[in-house]
Amino acid sequence: MLPTYARADVTITRGEGCRVWDDVGRAYLDFVAGIAVVGLGHGHPTVTAAAREQLDRLWHASNLYWTEPMLRLAELLSDRLGGAQAFFCNSGAEANEAALKYARKATGRARIVALEGGFHGRTLGALSATGQPGKWEGFGPLVPGVSFAAPNDVEALERAVTPGGDVALIMVEPVLGEGGVIPLESSFAEAAAEIAREVGALLCVDEVQAGMGRTGTFFAHEGLSLEPDLVTLAKGLGNGLPIGALLVADRVAGGLVPGDHGSTFGGNPVAAAAACAVVEAIDDAVLANVRQRSAQLADGLRGLSAVREVRGRGLLLGAVLDREVAPLVDACRGEGLLVLSAGPDVLRLTPPLVVTAEEVDEALGALARALGI
Ligand SMILES: *Cc1c(COP(=O)(O)O)cnc(C)c1O
């Protein structure tokens, strides 16, 4: 293995619901959920059944032909968005690459405007639109034509777009996940949509982490009262099977023709069948649970003396600490709780959307013990 991750010395061998087990039989309450991926919990019955049935039917046929799961998934996602065309791929970075290419081809323009601290993936295009200079080091030259604006700063966004004639795409995360769990304010999101409309650029909402019910609505942008032109999805879409999607709203469709873009594995039948079951499982009850458990978890975090601020939406929550987060992540694991960080002092919690009130209490207890309070 190339050492691209600072892995914990734990080997996960099994999962069920909100819990995973390692190779020596230790159980962990999973408030990472594969980094906001396993939204419906490990081994969700209808998702597992859908994947298993498709495994016995057809694994792969290529994008030279239609397959049924891909068409069903496109229809389900289009219905949720209010009319869209889908491009399927295998990851978040690929979904954002598709968005970048779509915007350039459809508008005939080159420039991209994204947010400082934003994260869109590790491939060169997505990395170039990622507003975290530390992640660029050693990988230049990056894709040219990208400008950045501070999140929630409308004037900075206007400056980044100026001169406006050549902007193809404004790309934002509804909650900056990797960048410290920073939610976009509604007023900023509305201004971004307005600016995009004024200058004739497309607006892409990167919902790779925040979408698929995680913020308490199916799409995270529903909480921001804006209608994006492009939406990217990945993490939660397959509940752990690799699949990503670019959704292009009907009103801006028509930007690509055969041969313009592709992916051998994109829309893989097994992954797409699982994703259909995921979309169908994210119902009002699941979304209500996200909002209720979010309030419970945020309240509990605010009650911890080491927590300075709690931010985020739904079950994408960040707790700004009065100390470094890395040792706390290790201490939590020692207490049987898996958690994430988002920057040097932000604890990030992304449990499955189906987490119970008891499991939230259990996590808060483990967190308090790990903090030594
Ligand atoms: C994780 C993430 C990506 C990249 O997804 P990969 O599947 O790792 O390529 C892109 N955008 C956001 C907002 C993410 O959280």
Side-chain angles (χ1 to χ4, degrees):
M1 301 290 294
L2 279 184
T4 53
Y5 282 86
R7 285 187 172 80
D9 193 18
V10 172
T11 302
I12 307 289
T13 55
R14 189 166 68 85
E16 193 182 319
C18 296
R19 251 169 253 273
V20 293
W21 285 263
D22 68 14
D23 59 346
V24 292
R26 269 211 74 177
Y28 302 86
L29 187 55
D30 188 5
F31 271 46
V32 172
I35 317 185
V37 166
V38 190
L40 296 171
H42 299 276
H44 186 276
T46 64
V47 177
T48 304
R52 196 171 277 152
E53 193 189 327
Q54 188 60 42
L55 263 180
D56 287 334
R57 192 184 297 271
L58 178 74
W59 286 28
H60 178 83
S62 92
N63 280 307
L64 300 172
Y65 314 100
W66 300 108
T67 54
E68 289 164 349
M70 153 206 295
L71 283 170
R72 241 182 327 121
L73 182 58
E75 189 167 4
L76 287 169
L77 292 172
S78 169
D79 285 351
R80 294 268 188 159
L81 195 67
Q85 295 186 344
F87 170 80
F88 293 119
C89 50
N90 313 284
S91 69
E94 282 179 57
N96 288 326
E97 292 292 334
L100 296 171
K101 284 182 70 178
Y102 189 90
R104 280 190 167 174
K105 189 87 196 275
T107 63
R109 302 172 178 185
R111 286 186 58 221
I112 313 292
V113 174
L115 298 182
E116 290 168 8
F119 182 81
H120 301 297
R122 302 292 195 143
T123 54
L124 269 174
L127 179 67
S128 301
T130 287
Q132 301 182 23
K135 293 191 164 68
W136 304 336
E137 265 166 46
F139 298 110
L142 299 176
V143 172
V146 186
S147 314
F148 294 95
N152 295 325
D153 182 341
V154 175
E155 277 172 28
L157 185 64
E158 280 167 349
R159 276 195 307 276
V161 166
T162 309
D166 56 349
V167 177
L169 183 69
I170 298 176
M171 185 173 236
V172 300
E173 282 171 90
V175 180
L176 281 74
E178 307 295 316
V181 193
I182 299 167
L184 287 195
E185 288 157 16
S186 258
S187 54
F188 178 82
E190 279 166 41
E194 180 66 35
I195 291 167
R197 206 163 32 243
E198 263 169 30
V199 303
L202 299 182
L203 176 70
C204 178
V205 180
D206 176 349
E207 301 216 8
V208 168
Q209 183 159 169
M212 302 303 295
R214 182 146 294 277
T215 63
T217 49
F218 184 83
F219 291 112
H221 70 258
E222 291 169 48
L224 292 171
S225 59
L226 63 83
E227 284 181 25
D229 302 306
L230 310 180
V231 176
T232 52
L233 296 170
K235 288 191 167 89
L237 181 55
N239 207 49
L241 286 184
I243 183 167
L246 165 66
L247 304 180
V248 176
D250 282 341
R251 67 179 176 284
V252 294
L256 296 182
V257 297
D260 276 346
H261 196 49
S263 165
T264 297
F265 292 121
N268 170 270
V270 180
C276 287
V278 171
V279 176
E280 281 167 343
I282 300 176
D283 57 11
D284 289 345
V286 168
L287 296 173
N289 189 62
V290 171
R291 296 191 290 267
Q292 286 156 11
R293 299 290 77 77
S294 173
Q296 180 193 354
L297 186 53
D299 279 352
L301 290 168
R302 284 191 192 96
L304 298 170
S305 58
V307 172
R308 291 208 163 122
E309 182 195 347
V310 178
R311 60 196 184 199
R313 288 195 218 286
L315 290 174
L316 174 49
L317 288 179
V320 184
L321 305 173
D322 65 358
R323 62 193 76 186
E324 290 210 343
V325 67
L328 180 63
V329 170
D330 293 338
C332 282
R333 202 167 53 249
E335 296 292 339
L337 174 68
L338 302 184
V339 294
L340 283 163
S341 60
D345 62 349
V346 180
L347 176 74
R348 180 171 34 149
L349 299 170
T350 58
L353 313 183
V354 295
V355 68
T356 64
E358 293 71 31
E359 286 163 338
V360 167
D361 283 338
E362 188 185 331
L364 288 166
L367 191 53
R369 286 197 304 281
L371 284 163
I373 52 181

